[in-house]
């Protein structure tokens, strides 16, 4: 049966036989880069259409239904429109930073992609501090937002950026603590180790209630970190028109838009990897027969299935809840989520030391 | 004096909300002085849709001027028209046939429900929840269809005329309204489930935009804005017109003084309006729909004031007549104008994110404020 | 009747005011508006705390300010009118008695040109700030935007 790891292996073999190892490596890197960019474009299109269809379903409407079959090409048409639109730079804006910001946002999102395992043995870079790397790089996105808000020379943008800064910095704490819970249980920062540790059951099942709590906190905090409703204060359409990207138009706006969706994908992929076993099929302890049946489903399908389920949950949040206020948002983090996740981490540590988990 | 008011401290951030802004529901322009995220002052700048309807009416006849009022508070067009015809009828001392009176009240209450439903969706959208907006439109559409059948239009009905109503009810009217009552009763619990009982929604509205009992009176607030502060101000109860004094309904009062109280007043009012519709829909008396009036109406010399309870509060028409075919002077007392004047008082010291919750809870319709 | 009530509650009011009982509400014509307003607002038998309509009428020879007041305690209504000179209309502001008057007076100021003394913030609310004439006066002409029927 064909799988991603097999295809990758064949290409790698062929390249190494044909070229010298250095050239082969260079070609592989270029290939990976192209694939990542391709994946980005594809994800952007798919997620936008998915969001529109999900919201349409929740709002008893049809959603896009004119371009292509069932409107599936709508986001492609939108991208085309955004590409040919003029990218305005407002007078009085810091031109360099203004143009830089969308790229910082994109690059930040791209970098986090590196250690994610898309399928069995299919990973760009299985570095031994994978989790640390992800938490470190994902906080770069706030810089892009701050740059954009500052450079736009617009009060709405500045307010949005400041809100976003306060929000992301504080929510990273709880996100980090809930990720640490899994690191404590696994005893490794390497993503492949974390996935392999879930071969006999995903952490969300093995880790009793504390891990479920950590998972819920993780979901809440990543929703906040990606600036999505109910935590979309950086944009806050009804208050700040569009927040930090008020002044952006054309492709520069599209890059922010894309970065948001890529970020959503990435945090959901991380959530799926840490709590739901990544590409690991649903295994239950020692039920050999059941586990074998589950193994027949390709690992990439498991990974994308879980990720898209989490994305759907986050979209569900967005189309259900009203927005919080900035002080309530910070209260929620500092008064509730942070103490809870700290205590929860303590419980999980005790659990890991005593070996109470399955 | 002007300079003194306009100068601000150096750290203050002055931002313009509107005239093009997603949550001002039209072209309201607010100049907000901020200290960080805290509001120091809100200054409304009006007039972006000012059509000077009052001046226009001075050259329109008593039949014509009623039509302009549909364009003021376009969400309660029937009620505005109703107030005007009441004022003209007061001048003519005209008795309206009972059938017309019942039809008017039915239309008023359906309009009130439609207006409140739309407000509910828009208010939730102001707070960042977009889905309720679409759910609200689902129910509003049914009312609009009912209106369209009888009146021919969906927004600016122009259905009332001095002496009665313009046409008789459509044969389908009763059936459709019965269907609507059934539908709405099944959907209202959904509204509460989706928005009212939501923790974030309650957090966002409770204690936000406090308007004390005394302030509500002093600022001339009316309608749900006043009743949310416990001020009894329902014109239908206090100064009943048509046959409201024969109907069973309650004035919805809340004492929370905040946005949530105003929200609850409107939610309860929808139920009360629905019960009024239920009481009347099977008891529409037979008979004429118009009293006999002359083709050209001339009001006797004098001054006439009529007031009705519109969806937003007390709507009043003040006609000064010199005995001619056109009014000498008309003043429309619009509820939004007075309610808006309380916004500054409510907003001071609150967060900018709450401003939309306050504006939303006042249910501002800009053409109604600007006239 | 209400007329007598008012007279007993506010002795000395006759010197500046005259009454008209016609129509639905009592109408008082006054020349000493601020004094009367304070008494109407404060007197325990009157307590007119709710100013629901404030407007002006241009009678070509003079202007008339019209105040519609009601009481949320006693539920009675009154209309107070005050004659103003058309060339130099001036009247005391009541925005500190009824706060809603602040907005209404600004509207009357720009549309009729009535100058409200001691108003905290008297400037155009609806019209642009550099607007010169007063649209709701009877002699207002605008060849572009006004259509004569």
């Amino acid at each position: 049966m064909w799988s991603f790891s097999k295809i990758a292996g064949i290409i790698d073999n062929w390249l190494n036989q044909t070229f010298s190892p250095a050239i082969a490596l260079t070609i592989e890197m270029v290939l990976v880069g192209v694939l990542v960019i391709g994946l980005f474009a594809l994800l952007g299109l798919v997620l936008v259409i998915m969001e529109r269809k999900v919201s349409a379903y929740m709002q008893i409407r049809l959603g896009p239904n004119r371009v292509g079959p069932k409107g599936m090409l709508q986001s492609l048409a939108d991208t085309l429109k955004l590409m040919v639109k003029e990218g305005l730079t407002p007078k009085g804006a810091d031109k360099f930073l203004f143009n830089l910001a969308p790229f910082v946002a994109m690059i930040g999102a791209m970098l986090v992609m590196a250690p994610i395992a898309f399928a069995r043995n299919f990973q760009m870079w299985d570095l031994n501090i994978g989790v640390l790397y992800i938490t470190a790089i994902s906080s770069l996105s706030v810089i892009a937002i701050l740059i954009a808000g500052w450079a736009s020379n617009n009060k709405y943008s500045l307010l949005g950026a400041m809100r976003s800064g306060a929000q992301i910095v504080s929510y990273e704490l709880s996100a980090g603590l809930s990720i640490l819970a899994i690191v404590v249980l696994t005893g490794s920062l390497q993503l492949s180790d974390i996935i392999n540790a879930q071969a006999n059951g995903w952490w969300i099942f093995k880790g009793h209630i504390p891990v479920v709590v950590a998972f819920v906190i993780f979901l809440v905090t990543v929703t906040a970190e990606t600036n999505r409703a109910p935590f979309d204060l950086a944009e806050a359409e009804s208050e700040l028109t569009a927040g930090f990207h008020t002044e952006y138009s054309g492709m520069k706006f599209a890059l922010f838009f894309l970065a948001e969706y890529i970020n959503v994908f990435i945090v959901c992929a991380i959530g799926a990897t840490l709590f739901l076993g990544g590409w690991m099929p649903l295994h239950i302890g020692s039920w050999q027969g059941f586990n074998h049946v589950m193994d027949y489903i390709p690992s990439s399908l498991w990974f994308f299935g879980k990720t898209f389920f989490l994305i759907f949950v986050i979209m569900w949040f967005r189309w259900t809840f009203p927005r919080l206020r900035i002080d309530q948002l910070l209260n929620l983090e500092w008064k509730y989520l942070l103490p809870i996740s700290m205590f929860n981490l303590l419980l999980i540590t005790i659990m890991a030391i005593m070996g109470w988990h399955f | 004096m002007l300079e003194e008011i306009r100068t601000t401290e150096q750290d203050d951030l002055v931002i313009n909300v509107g005239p093009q802004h997603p949550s001002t529901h039209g072209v309201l322009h607010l100049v907000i002085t901020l200290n960080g995220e805290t509001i120091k002052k809100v200054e409304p700048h009006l007039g972006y849709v000012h059509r000077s309807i009052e001046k226009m009416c001075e050259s329109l006849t008593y039949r014509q001027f009623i039509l302009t009022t549909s364009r003021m508070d376009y969400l309660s067009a029937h009620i505005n028209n109703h107030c005007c015809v009441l004022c003209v009828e007061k001048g003519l001392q005209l008795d309206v046939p009972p059938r017309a009176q019942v039809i008017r009240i039915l239309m008023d209450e359906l309009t009130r429900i439609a207006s409140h439903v739309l407000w509910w969706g828009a208010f939730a959208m102001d707070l960042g929840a977009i889905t309720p907006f679409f759910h609200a439109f689902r129910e509003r559409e049914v009312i609009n269809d009912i209106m369209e059948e009888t009146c021919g239009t969906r927004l600016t009905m122009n259905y009332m005329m001095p002496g009665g109503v313009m046409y008789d009810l459509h044969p389908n009217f009763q059936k459709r309204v019965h269907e609507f009552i059934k539908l709405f009763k099944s959907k209202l619990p959904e509204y509460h489930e989706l928005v009212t009982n939501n923790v974030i929604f309650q957090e966002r509205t409770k204690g936000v935009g406090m308007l004390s009992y005394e302030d509500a009176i002093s600022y001339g607030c009316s309608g749900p804005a006043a009743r949310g502060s416990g001020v009894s101000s329902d014109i239908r109860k206090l100064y009943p017109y048509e046959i409201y004094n024969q109907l069973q309904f309650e004035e919805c009062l809340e004492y929370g003084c905040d946005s949530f109280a105003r929200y609850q007043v409107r939610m309860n009012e929808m139920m009360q309006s629905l019960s009024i519709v239920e009481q009347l829909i099977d008891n529409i008396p037979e008979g004429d729909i118009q009293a006999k009036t002359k083709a050209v109406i001339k009001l006797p010399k004098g001054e006439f004031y009529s007031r009705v309870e519109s969806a937003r509060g007390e709507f009043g028409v003040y006609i000064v007549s010199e005995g001619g075919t056109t009014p000498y002077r008309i003043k429309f007392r619009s509820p939004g104008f007075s309610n808006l004047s309380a916004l500054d008082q409510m907003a001071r010291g609150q967060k900018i994110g709450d401003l939309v919750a306050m504006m939303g809870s006042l249910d501002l319709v800009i053409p109604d404020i600007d006239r | 009747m209400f007329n007598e009530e008012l007279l007993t509650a506010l002795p000395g009011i006759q010197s500046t005011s005259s009454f008209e009982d016609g129509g639905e509400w009592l109408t008082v014509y006054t020349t000493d508006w601020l004094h009367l307003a304070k008494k109407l607002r404060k007197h325990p038998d009157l307590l007119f705390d709710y100013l629901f309509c404030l407007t002006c009428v241009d009678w070509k020879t003079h202007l008339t300010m019209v105040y519609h007041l009601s009481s949320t305690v006693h539920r009675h209504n009154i209309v107070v009118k005050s004659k103003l000179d058309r060339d130099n209309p001036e009247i005391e502001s009541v925005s500190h008695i009824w706060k809603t008057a602040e907005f209404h007076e600004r509207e009357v100021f720009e549309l009729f040109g009535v100058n409200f003394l001691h108003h905290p913030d008297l400037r155009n609310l609806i019209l642009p700030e550099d607007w010169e004439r007063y649209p709701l006066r009877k002699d207002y002409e605008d060849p572009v935007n006004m259509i004569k029927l």
Side-chain angles (χ1 to χ4, degrees):
Chain A
M1 212 169 98
W2 291 98
S3 70
F4 280 113
S5 56
K6 257 188 198 164
I7 299 170
I10 290 168
I11 294 174
D12 181 51
N13 271 338
W14 181 77
L15 281 173
N16 274 317
Q17 281 161 14
T18 328
F19 305 103
S20 68
I23 296 176
L25 191 65
T26 319
I27 294 175
E28 276 174 10
M29 279 182 166
V30 171
L31 264 181
V32 166
V34 169
L35 280 178
V36 166
I37 292 172
L39 180 70
F40 265 40
L42 192 69
L43 271 179
L45 298 182
V46 169
L47 288 178
V48 169
I49 201 81
M50 175 177 167
E51 173 117 275
R52 294 181 69 171
K53 282 288 183 189
V54 167
S55 70
Y57 176 70
M58 289 181 181
Q59 296 168 352
I60 38 177
R61 6 178 225 116
L62 289 174
N65 56 3
R66 289 274 180 264
V67 187
K70 300 216 164 188
M72 285 306 164
L73 299 179
Q74 180 67 47
S75 46
L76 201 66
D78 287 345
T79 318
L80 203 68
K81 183 203 77 176
L82 285 169
M83 271 188 203
V84 295
K85 259 180 123 174
E86 186 187 359
L88 290 168
T89 307
K91 204 179 169 187
D94 187 326
K95 284 212 171 50
F96 175 69
L97 288 180
F98 184 80
N99 292 319
L100 181 71
F103 294 100
V104 175
M106 272 311 280
I107 291 167
M110 273 179 159
L111 283 174
V112 193
M113 203 72 112
I116 289 172
F118 292 96
R120 194 190 298 270
N121 299 327
F122 191 71
Q123 200 172 359
M124 275 176 246
W125 186 24
D126 187 18
L127 77 170
N128 54 1
I129 50 160
V131 173
L132 183 65
Y133 173 85
I134 288 168
T135 43
I137 298 294
S138 64
S139 40
L140 276 181
S141 66
V142 68
I143 295 178
I145 291 174
L146 283 175
I147 292 177
W150 173 251
S152 294
N153 190 28
N154 180 321
K155 288 164 186 168
Y156 286 124
S157 303
L158 189 64
L159 272 176
M162 289 303 143
R163 282 179 174 193
S164 175
Q167 176 184 337
I168 293 183
V169 166
S170 35
Y171 272 79
E172 245 160 28
L173 293 170
S174 291
L177 284 175
S178 54
I179 289 175
L180 264 188
I182 300 302
V183 173
V184 165
L185 284 173
T186 319
S188 168
L189 287 166
Q190 200 163 357
L191 283 179
S192 56
D193 283 353
I194 291 174
I195 296 168
N196 285 327
Q198 304 181 61
N200 58 344
W202 304 343
W203 278 125
I204 196 160
F205 300 131
K206 288 202 297 177
H208 306 291
I209 290 165
V211 173
V212 176
V213 173
F215 179 62
V216 170
I217 290 177
F218 178 81
L219 263 188
V220 173
T221 50
V222 296
T223 314
E225 267 200 73
T226 48
N227 283 326
R228 285 180 63 85
F231 306 103
D232 59 342
L233 286 125
E235 287 162 40
E237 192 227 352
S238 57
E239 296 156 27
L240 303 176
T241 56
F244 67 94
H245 60 59
T246 307
E247 295 287 354
Y248 283 86
S249 58
M251 210 52 209
K252 280 181 257 175
F253 162 75
L255 282 182
F256 271 122
F257 201 58
L258 192 59
E260 181 190 324
Y261 282 103
I262 300 299
N263 275 326
V264 170
F265 175 80
I266 285 168
V267 293
C268 290
I270 293 165
T273 307
L274 295 179
F275 296 94
L276 305 178
W279 50 259
M280 192 60 79
L282 179 63
H283 286 171
I284 299 177
S286 51
W287 294 15
Q288 292 302 333
F290 178 79
N291 292 352
H292 276 300
V293 173
M294 285 292 143
D295 282 340
Y296 274 107
I297 301 172
S299 56
S300 53
L301 219 59
W302 277 108
F303 173 77
F304 282 104
K306 289 167 193 173
T307 308
F308 274 86
F309 169 72
L310 288 186
I311 292 174
F312 172 74
V313 171
I314 284 186
M315 284 178 180
W316 194 358
F317 286 168
R318 171 164 182 183
W319 299 111
T320 309
F321 292 127
R323 181 183 306 117
L324 277 97
R325 203 171 59 213
I326 183 76
D327 56 328
Q328 290 165 352
L329 180 97
L330 296 178
N331 272 350
L332 176 69
E333 162 65 16
W334 293 99
K335 288 190 183 162
Y336 301 100
L337 292 183
L338 191 62
I340 291 173
S341 50
M342 277 175 153
F343 182 70
N344 195 41
L345 184 65
L346 190 73
L347 276 183
I348 288 176
T349 318
I350 294 171
M351 200 169 77
I353 292 170
M354 307 299 278
W356 283 340
H357 60 89
F358 294 114
Chain B
M1 195 166 191
L2 290 184
E3 282 310 303
E4 192 186 291
I5 286 161
R6 283 183 209 177
T7 47
T8 47
E9 285 170 47
Q10 212 163 17
D11 304 347
D12 289 350
L13 187 66
V14 180
I15 63 169
N16 288 289
V17 174
Q20 317 288 331
H21 191 275
S23 66
T24 52
H25 302 293
V27 283
L28 178 65
H29 179 191
L30 300 172
V31 178
I32 302 174
T33 312
L34 290 175
N35 180 13
E37 288 242 353
T38 312
I39 296 170
K40 289 179 82 174
K41 197 166 70 190
V42 178
E43 247 183 277
H45 286 212
L46 305 176
Y48 289 88
V49 283
H50 188 257
R51 294 145 293 177
S52 201
I53 288 181
E54 290 174 11
K55 183 82 176 174
M56 224 151 53
C57 290
E58 287 176 12
S59 57
L60 294 175
T61 67
Y62 288 109
R63 284 190 195 279
Q64 290 169 332
F65 92 96
I66 296 163
L67 311 192
T68 61
T69 56
S70 304
R71 275 86 183 164
M72 287 164 49
D73 185 351
Y74 49 82
L75 291 180
S76 45
H78 268 309
I79 309 180
N80 289 3
N81 294 164
H82 196 168
C83 189
C84 297
V85 296
L86 279 179
C87 201
V88 174
E89 280 157 12
K90 201 178 262 178
L92 295 174
Q93 300 195 326
L94 207 62
D95 284 325
V96 182
R99 182 175 172 85
Q101 292 196 14
V102 170
I103 292 175
R104 281 179 181 181
I105 290 182
L106 275 172
M107 288 302 182
D108 277 8
E109 297 308 322
L110 284 175
T111 308
R112 198 185 314 278
I113 295 172
S115 170
H116 282 349
V117 164
L118 178 70
W119 160 83
W120 174 79
F123 185 43
M125 193 163 72
D126 284 347
L127 295 175
I130 298 161
T131 306
F133 192 67
F134 292 90
H135 287 239
F137 263 86
R138 175 182 55 190
E139 273 75 67
R140 183 179 153 78
E141 205 62 16
V142 180
I143 298 183
N144 276 352
D145 287 344
I146 294 173
M147 296 283 181
E148 191 184 2
E149 268 187 348
T150 296
C151 316
T153 47
R154 296 160 66 84
L155 197 65
T156 52
M157 284 83 167
N158 306 328
Y159 180 59
M160 316 252 179
M161 57 181 282
V165 293
M166 218 169 264
Y167 330 102
D168 208 345
L169 290 174
H170 193 273
N172 276 347
F173 183 79
Q174 276 167 307
K175 197 183 97 206
R176 291 277 203 122
V177 171
H178 275 299
E179 281 167 11
F180 170 74
I181 292 170
K182 212 173 140 203
L183 172 85
F184 196 67
K185 278 194 171 160
S186 70
K187 296 297 181 193
L188 205 62
E190 267 183 33
Y191 287 18
H192 288 298
E193 222 170 289
L194 188 59
V195 175
T196 318
N197 297 332
N198 188 314
V199 182
I200 299 176
F201 175 78
Q202 294 196 0
E203 283 283 310
R204 280 300 302 275
T205 49
K206 277 185 180 167
V208 165
M210 299 299 282
L211 186 68
S212 66
Y213 181 86
E214 288 77 21
D215 277 340
I217 294 172
S218 183
Y219 277 106
C221 292
S222 55
R227 290 197 281 280
S229 301
V231 182
S232 164
S233 62
D234 195 333
I235 306 293
R236 294 174 295 173
K237 278 275 180 205
L238 299 175
Y239 310 100
Y241 48 99
E242 308 289 14
I243 56 161
Y244 271 115
N245 48 4
Q246 298 165 24
L247 297 171
Q248 300 285 319
F249 68 100
E250 276 163 32
E251 180 175 7
C252 310
L253 285 176
E254 292 285 333
Y255 300 90
C257 301
D258 52 6
S259 294
F260 190 67
R262 294 188 276 275
Y263 171 87
Q264 286 206 306
V265 168
R266 287 201 181 83
M267 297 308 272
N268 295 337
E269 254 181 32
M270 281 197 259
M271 279 318 287
Q272 294 299 330
S273 291
L274 203 66
S275 100
I276 293 176
V277 173
E278 270 187 314
Q279 288 169 43
L280 289 177
I281 188 66
D282 288 326
N283 302 315
I284 306 175
E286 293 297 321
D288 289 338
I289 53 156
Q290 286 171 13
K292 283 221 159 51
T293 48
K294 284 180 186 160
V296 178
I297 295 176
K298 279 187 182 174
L299 244 58
K301 196 170 180 317
E303 292 166 15
F304 312 97
Y305 191 96
S306 69
R307 51 213 304 213
V308 297
E309 181 72 17
S310 96
R312 259 143 284 278
E314 176 183 340
F315 183 80
V317 176
Y318 175 58
I319 298 182
V320 180
S321 169
E322 281 284 79
T325 53
T326 58
Y328 185 75
R329 161 106 175 97
I330 276 199
K331 159 83 182 170
F332 295 111
R333 189 266 185 221
S334 65
F337 191 72
S338 297
N339 289 354
L340 178 70
S341 66
L343 183 64
D344 183 42
Q345 165 79 18
M346 284 158 65
R348 280 184 196 220
Q350 306 259 2
K351 296 276 179 290
I352 184 171
D354 284 339
L355 185 72
V356 289
M358 287 172 234
M359 282 198 302
S361 72
L362 287 179
D363 194 9
L364 303 173
V365 169
I366 311 307
D368 176 46
I369 296 168
D370 276 357
R371 280 158 288 145
Chain C
M1 207 10 237
F2 190 55
N3 200 337
E4 284 83 55
E5 266 177 48
L6 193 70
L7 277 174
T8 47
L10 301 173
I13 189 178
Q14 284 136 307
S15 59
T16 56
S17 313
S18 60
F19 302 93
E20 185 184 283
D21 226 345
E24 36 181 341
W25 303 328
L26 176 69
T27 311
V28 183
Y29 292 90
T30 183
T31 51
D32 188 7
W33 165 230
L34 187 67
H35 184 66
L36 180 64
K38 277 181 184 158
K39 280 190 172 166
L40 289 175
R41 173 69 184 83
K42 291 280 154 57
H43 197 283
D45 288 342
L46 303 173
L47 280 177
F48 286 103
D49 49 5
Y50 190 70
L51 174 71
F52 60 91
C53 187
L54 186 162
T55 188
C56 183
V57 184
D58 180 12
W59 290 103
K60 289 178 186 160
T61 52
H62 61 274
L63 301 178
T64 308
M65 284 298 299
V66 184
Y67 299 83
H68 286 77
L69 297 167
S70 81
S71 164
T72 54
V73 183
H74 304 301
R75 294 286 166 210
H76 46 220
N77 302 301
I78 194 170
V79 183
V80 185
K81 292 181 183 173
S82 185
K83 233 184 224 183
L84 304 181
D85 182 17
R86 197 162 185 277
D87 297 323
N88 184 24
E90 272 185 350
I91 192 166
E92 282 288 335
S93 164
V94 286
S95 52
H96 54 282
I97 304 175
W98 299 283
K99 287 176 189 160
T100 185
E102 187 179 332
F103 262 47
H104 283 92
E105 283 176 354
R106 277 173 73 179
E107 193 195 2
V108 170
F109 163 72
E110 63 192 338
L111 298 177
F112 286 94
V114 178
N115 187 19
F116 290 92
L117 305 169
H118 305 112
H119 188 281
D121 185 17
L122 197 62
R123 60 200 164 86
N124 282 4
L125 177 71
I126 291 171
L127 298 172
E129 289 187 13
D130 52 354
W131 199 271
E132 276 170 359
R133 290 169 313 137
Y134 308 114
L136 277 189
R137 286 205 185 181
K138 286 283 172 185
D139 55 1
Y140 180 81
E141 291 292 334
D142 187 340
V144 182
N145 298 316
M146 261 172 73
I147 300 162
K148 290 266 174 187
L149 287 175

